[in-house]
Amino acid sequence: MDLVRSSGLPSSVVGMASPGPEVSEDYPIYLWLDAVRHAERALKDLKGVITAFNVNIDALHYIRPGEIENMLSGLDRDLFNERFRNPPDKIDVAEDLLAGLLLSMKTGRGMEWIIRKKAVSDWINENFQVDEYRMGGLAGITANVLARLGVGKIYPHVASLPRLQAELFEGENIKIPTISDGFVAFEGPLGAVREYDEPLIHWIFEYHSGMKVHLRGGEYIVTPNANRFIAAFDDKNTRLHIDDSFVKGIGEVIEEVDLAIISGYHLLSVAESFAERINFTKHLFKSWKKSSGLKIHLELAYFTDLRILSHVLRSLSDVIDGLGMNEDELIQCLSALSGKRVSVEPANSSEKHLIDGLIYLMKALGMRRMVVHTRDFCVAISDKSAKEDILHAMAFGNLVAAAKALSGRHCGLDEIRSILSGGRLHVSDEGVKALNSIANRLGLRSRELLRDGSAEIDDYRLWFIPTLIVDKPLSTVGLGDCFTAGYCLLAYRP
């Protein structure tokens, strides 16, 4: 069943095939228009937001044709082949780096591996050019997104704040706690610079759809879509270091905070007493909740050790209010909690497995809501009592990310409205197929799922939208974080 073209905007905006008899004619455009209006009202009610814990500097490098082949020619090909066949999920030598990068390029999946040896970080600096420095880490990116959207006060946790890091923050409404003579002050990023801090550099290797890399013996890979591979050498975020001034400062303003967006646990390693660090943050969250009615959203990322992910989920599920992830991270959650390795083959990423997986997680963790965001669609699940505006939250998160993909920058509400009406976004065909598949799975007609945007399943309510996308994004880095910032504004509206 196809969605229909909206008469409210040019057909290129919605980009759907000819109407079928069961499909609403006004659903596609009005959902996103309404989402912007809801966001405008939510921004007026929101007092303050915490973003924690990972802030870093992203060093972007855009992969050039022939570049990887040249790098491979100078490495141990037997070692590379072994690491490519059996991915280590961590980086100790240059062969690990290229194996991870090519695995990401082959599958089109975004990945993040930790560099464990400084020699590899030095090798990257010597062999790859920095094309651009950008804000990195969910706490930093969501802080900038929220600032551009107009949130009054944003309090990011910044483990290391050299001048280069401070210059990547956007907006005077970003406030960083500092301690001077025993007293807490809240400074703008440049006023809070710690000159002797070391920059925390995460390399982002971006590739476009259709790139071809030739391997030995006439073999080659072609990237199925645009994405990125991240390699991070970061001695603070990998220990989940939490700045004392942040803990004390947030304690003084917590009554004026409505929302906390949390991430960064994926950077932990087993060697760094991960359970102790996770439990410290749990006590911190409990102290916040005693003093404030704030909501806490935990956003996952790619974990290289599922033992850490399992501990995060089991330990924090009773103090967080919602969970966010992409489809690869959902598969990791299922593997971590079930103790069984869940296949990442496309057949196991179908909509049936997605829904069944979400229901399994909700039951296992006792959560009230969680969301999975992909390039082509977003799906959320909540208990039946949830009254938050989850459908519009997903639509607004989609718009914030699509605006960034199209423009290459974080956009305010006026720019988002302009982009929505500009005719350069279209609904994902794959998202439409997923809508129809989910409707069939639930025993519904597509029109019913379109009309309501949700349906009851077991003891839960399922929410679904296909996404507005841009075919040739200027950048894919941080789009998931952009979605998270926009989604949380409405999903946890005070």
Side-chain angles (χ1 to χ4, degrees):
M1 190 67 60
D2 290 317
L3 299 177
V4 300
R5 298 184 187 275
S6 164
S7 58
L9 287 177
S11 59
S12 58
V13 172
V14 182
M16 297 177 179
S18 59
E22 299 180 2
V23 180
S24 166
E25 293 189 3
D26 58 356
Y27 167 89
I29 187 58
Y30 288 114
L31 172 65
W32 286 285
L33 288 173
D34 284 347
V36 175
R37 288 191 284 266
H38 281 254
E40 190 170 29
R41 290 193 291 270
L43 286 166
K44 293 177 181 177
D45 298 333
L46 196 62
K47 292 177 292 186
V49 179
I50 295 166
T51 65
F53 292 99
N54 53 328
V55 173
N56 60 266
I57 299 164
D58 280 349
L60 269 72
H61 177 81
Y62 301 104
I63 300 296
R64 282 84 160 161
E67 182 177 33
I68 303 303
E69 290 89 339
N70 290 336
M71 297 290 174
L72 285 172
S73 66
L75 298 181
D76 183 330
R77 290 301 292 259
D78 291 335
L79 178 59
F80 163 78
N81 290 336
E82 193 277 326
R83 299 297 167 86
F84 189 56
R85 289 192 302 267
N86 302 290
D89 288 346
K90 57 185 179 295
I91 301 172
D92 290 326
V93 292
E95 286 81 0
D96 294 336
L97 173 78
L98 291 187
L101 173 57
L102 282 170
L103 181 64
S104 175
M105 295 178 75
K106 179 181 179 180
T107 61
R109 297 179 185 272
M111 296 179 180
E112 182 167 358
W113 291 8
I114 302 300
I115 299 171
R116 302 198 303 180
K117 301 288 180 64
K118 185 176 184 299
V120 180
S121 179
D122 293 340
W123 182 85
I124 296 174
N125 285 321
E126 292 170 3
N127 288 277
F128 291 96
Q129 167 186 323
V130 177
D131 293 317
E132 185 179 354
Y133 286 115
R134 289 186 187 173
M135 175 61 73
L138 176 133
I141 294 171
T142 54
N144 281 347
V145 174
L146 294 170
R148 289 289 295 129
L149 289 172
V151 173
K153 293 284 179 65
I154 304 118
Y155 305 102
H157 172 262
V158 190
S160 184
L161 191 60
R163 183 162 297 276
L164 176 58
Q165 182 74 76
E167 289 172 347
L168 295 173
F169 280 103
E170 305 170 14
E172 297 179 358
N173 39 355
I174 294 174
K175 301 297 180 183
I176 298 175
T178 61
I179 296 178
S180 179
D181 298 325
F183 295 95
V184 175
F186 290 87
E187 303 279 358
L190 289 174
V193 165
R194 303 190 288 267
E195 296 286 359
Y196 297 104
D197 281 1
E198 288 291 326
L200 305 178
I201 304 293
H202 292 206
W203 281 86
I204 314 293
F205 298 96
E206 283 209 21
Y207 51 85
H208 296 296
S209 176
M211 290 195 73
K212 179 181 282 190
V213 179
H214 294 272
L215 303 176
R216 181 176 290 177
E219 294 182 67
Y220 62 88
I221 64 172
V222 179
T223 57
N225 51 264
N227 216 317
R228 81 289 181 277
F229 177 76
I230 303 175
F233 185 69
D234 183 338
D235 69 334
K236 284 194 171 181
N237 286 315
T238 52
R239 291 185 285 112
L240 200 64
H241 167 81
I242 300 176
D243 188 60
D244 290 340
S245 59
F246 174 83
V247 175
K248 184 173 183 179
I250 294 302
E252 294 193 3
V253 298
I254 193 63
E255 293 182 3
E256 297 299 312
V257 175
D258 307 298
L259 171 66
I261 304 175
I262 305 298
S263 191
Y265 297 100
H266 63 293
L267 297 171
L268 278 166
S269 70
V270 173
E272 296 296 343
S273 304
F274 72 89
E276 178 184 327
R277 300 308 300 155
I278 294 166
N279 291 338
F280 177 83
T281 65
K282 181 173 183 175
H283 291 304
L284 187 61
F285 298 158
K286 285 183 174 180
S287 71
W288 291 351
K289 282 183 170 285
K290 283 182 180 178
S291 304
S292 170
L294 92 165
K295 303 294 185 182
I296 300 177
H297 174 88
L298 174 62
E299 186 69 22
L300 299 179
Y302 186 85
F303 279 73
T304 56
D305 195 307
L306 295 187
R307 289 171 292 178
I308 297 174
L309 174 57
S310 177
H311 193 87
V312 167
L313 294 172
R314 296 182 191 279
S315 177
L316 301 183
S317 61
D318 61 338
V319 293
I320 62 175
D321 298 281
L323 188 65
M325 68 203 88
N326 65 26
E327 66 271 43
D328 297 323
E329 293 151 11
L330 171 63
I331 291 169
Q332 284 200 317
C333 287
L334 298 175
S335 297
L337 292 182
S338 69
K340 302 175 183 177
R341 187 167 183 83
V342 177
S343 173
V344 297
E345 292 301 315
N348 276 347
S349 300
S350 68
E351 289 70 41
K352 179 183 186 302
H353 285 82
L354 180 69
I355 295 168
D356 291 346
L358 282 172
I359 292 173
Y360 174 87
L361 287 185
M362 289 286 281
K363 290 179 177 178
L365 299 175
M367 299 285 297
R368 288 197 66 237
R369 71 179 68 77
M370 58 183 64
V371 63
V372 175
H373 46 92
T374 79
R375 176 184 182 271
D376 299 300
F377 62 87
C378 304
V379 60
I381 192 168
S382 68
D383 59 33
K384 290 181 181 179
S385 64
K387 297 179 180 178
E388 292 80 6
D389 192 359
I390 293 177
L391 190 65
H392 284 110
M394 294 192 298
F396 188 64
N398 170 207
L399 277 179
V400 173
K404 170 64 160 52
L406 183 63
S407 68
R409 64 180 184 278
H410 302 133
C411 297
L413 281 181
D414 288 342
E415 291 174 287
I416 289 173
R417 285 193 194 94
S418 177
I419 286 171
L420 180 58
S421 63
R424 297 178 64 189
L425 301 177
H426 67 91
V427 168
S428 163
D429 291 337
E430 292 302 315
V432 174
K433 292 177 184 177
L435 171 80
N436 296 323
S437 177
I438 286 177
N440 291 334
R441 161 89 168 93
L442 300 177
L444 300 173
R445 302 167 78 185
S446 298
R447 178 179 179 182
E448 294 175 82
L449 190 54
L450 273 173
R451 181 190 63 221
D452 300 327
S454 68
E456 290 188 6
I457 178 170
D458 292 352
D459 297 323
Y460 306 104
R461 179 161 289 277
L462 189 78
W463 311 77
F464 181 91
I465 60 165
T467 57
L468 295 177
I469 62 172
V470 53
D471 288 327
K472 295 183 179 180
L474 291 182
S475 174
T476 63
V477 174
L479 295 187
D481 297 336
C482 290
F483 171 88
T484 297
Y487 166 83
C488 287
L489 280 180
L490 294 185
Y492 304 97
R493 184 175 178 181

